Amino acid sequence: MHTRRFAALAGIAAAGVAVGVAEAVAILTGATTSPLVSVGGVVIDAVPAKVKDFAVAVFYTYDKLALSIGTLVVLAAFAAGIGVLARQRRLWGYLGIGAFGVIGIAAALSRHNAPWYAFVPTLVGAAAGAGVLHWLFTLEAGDNADPQERRAFLRSAGYTMLGAAVLGFASRWWSTRRGVEADRANVQLPSVPPNTVAPLPPDADATLPDLAPFVTPNKEFYQIDTALVVPQLTTEDWKLRIYGRVEKELTISWDELLKRPMIERYITLACVSNEVGGNLISNAKWQGVRVADLLAEARPKAGADQVVSRSIDGFTAGTPTAALLDGRDAMLAIAMNGEPLPVEHGFPVRMVVPGLYGYVSATKWLVELELTSFADFDAYWIKRGWSAQGPIKTESRIDTPRDGSSPRAGEIMIGGVAWAQRRGISKVEIRVDDGPWQSATLLPVPSIDTWRQWTFKWPATPGKHRITVRATDNGGDTQTDAVAPPDPDGATGWHSIDVEVK
Ligand SMILES: Nc1nc2c(c(=O)[nH]1)N[C@H]1C(S)=C(S)[C@@H](COP(=O)(O)O)O[C@H]1N2
Ligand SMILES: [Mo]
């Protein structure tokens, strides 16, 4: 009889081989058929919204790494259990591996756009895992073999194979990633006619230390998505389908999209999950094709009050058709700050709609626009309890001095950003402790669709102080002080910082 440790290690070794082989096969069949990616995707989509908020809050963009590591740990624990069961009866071990196989296959086939052969990697992997289990239990069955040696062998075999699985997975990911990066490097952005370019006022940026720059560099742009592994889509494979309640269905290739008239605009994107004072907001110069031009060709039918934009990995956002046709610069963006979209931000094509939170408008890796109605379809986050309508709320933030810092007494430059996309910012006020509201200096902006920097010279006296900011939009509405959480349609309240002036 084998020891329990032997059996547990044999289970881990078998699972390691199963996953490694499945991921290796998925190199050929494509990332969407990878059992690790599919199971992870199912888990992300199934996690209740509240838990996911927590994950976003705690891990921010690292939540997916945590999920991947967690999944591997759980997988290893189950594999050890299967090994121990197989020690009692070999059949139970095979059934355990079979159960894993069923989960992997169901997950892979359930993913959006799954090809019919999505079951193949898991099937081959499970067969290999079962083979290894069989081999380890029969070949190493000799009771006269040195148990110490046997255990050492198994431990190294198990770890090597798990390592191989992770490596195989990582290398597959890197190879597709390199292919898409090469494709991205080859993109020649069409020029934008000068009269359609929104110029940047030369003094839009106060360039204070710690103050968010007016234009966010691509590398620092906030990133939020549900993708466990960022979709890798080449321009050659990209196609956009416009369908549903339209008079004329359209399918557009990358080359066709590039031939269309282009605009270039500064637009500030914001996440509905952004807390007061948070940094899930960034500003970039986007280049793309007006959504209104494409809709004019497809001709939405009466009652098609919602445009559902869908990504290659099945994420959906529902945007009011009216918001895409009311003259704002909603676009299918192909470039961000003069470069093709970074893969993390939706390469090759994403949607950008001024004035709406990302979850109802900013679909990355965009492949479909479906004309439908709000009554007929709930998009990804709406199904999870968030509001169907997501206009961005007026907010402001203090960036410098930093909360909790201890600046020197004397004249201190307070600075930050304020935003009310589509309405524009007309006033920002600062309050120190219980003092009066005082107007800050507003820096120029290219349009009402971006955030606006502000500065305020403060003669700081020693001691503890609380500084509060509030903004007013061009319609004369002042940002509310009523504190609301992000859920269900965006946080409100005034941002305050505490400093101790020395
Ligand atoms: N395909 C896809 N697009 C998506 C999302 C997503 O999860 N998947 N998240 C949306 C949300 S909630 C936001 S706030 C913005 C963020 O865009 P960014 O990552 O480029 O900043 O993308 C939107 N587009
Ligand atoms: Mo978001």
Side-chain angles (χ1 to χ4, degrees), residues 404-466:
S405 63
S406 309
R408 255 176 232 290
E411 203 160 77
I412 290 176
M413 201 55 137
I414 306 176
V417 284
W419 58 91
Q421 290 93 320
R422 281 283 78 202
R423 301 178 295 282
I425 292 290
S426 65
K427 187 162 71 178
V428 168
E429 296 162 290
I430 291 298
R431 188 179 68 186
V432 179
D433 302 322
D434 295 325
W437 286 104
Q438 304 177 70
S439 286
T441 304
L442 294 177
L443 278 78
V445 276
S447 82
I448 56 173
D449 291 331
T450 70
W451 61 12
R452 186 162 195 176
Q453 287 191 359
W454 55 266
T455 58
F456 183 83
K457 255 189 218 151
W458 175 42
T461 52
K464 290 186 175 169
H465 296 289
R466 169 161 293 186

Side-chain angles (χ1 to χ4, degrees), residues 37 83 150 177 228 239 297 310 343 355 424 488 490:
V37 174
R150 201 163 57 186
R177 167 104 219 192
L228 179 58
K239 256 195 335 250
E297 257 175 80
R310 192 173 276 110
V343 175

Side-chain angles (χ1 to χ4, degrees), residues 307-319 331-333 341 345-346 349-353 357-369:
V307 176
V308 171
S309 47
R310 192 173 276 110
S311 69
I312 184 83
D313 62 342
F315 171 85
T316 49
T319 310
M331 65 170 102
L332 300 192
L341 290 180
H345 295 291
V349 181
R350 78 172 305 168
M351 198 149 100
V352 173
V353 182
Y357 288 120
Y359 81 110
V360 291
S361 67
T363 301
K364 307 189 272 189
W365 315 290
L366 175 77
V367 292
E368 285 180 13
L369 293 179

Side-chain angles (χ1 to χ4, degrees), residues 88-169:
Q88 307 295 331
R89 254 190 97 182
R90 202 68 48 78
L91 179 66
W92 290 349
Y94 300 137
L95 286 178
I97 289 178
F100 265 111
V102 168
I103 292 171
I105 287 172
L109 286 175
S110 76
R111 299 312 284 162
H112 182 75
N113 284 341
W116 63 268
Y117 48 82
F119 67 92
V120 172
T122 306
L123 191 68
V124 177
V132 166
L133 199 69
H134 173 81
W135 176 74
L136 285 175
F137 273 98
T138 49
L139 209 76
E140 280 289 308
D143 279 326
N144 43 7
D146 176 10
Q148 288 280 45
E149 219 172 89
R150 201 163 57 186
R151 236 176 272 139
F153 164 78
L154 261 181
R155 194 178 303 130
S156 49
Y159 290 155
T160 309
M161 285 161 181
L162 252 189
V166 171
L167 244 150
F169 176 70

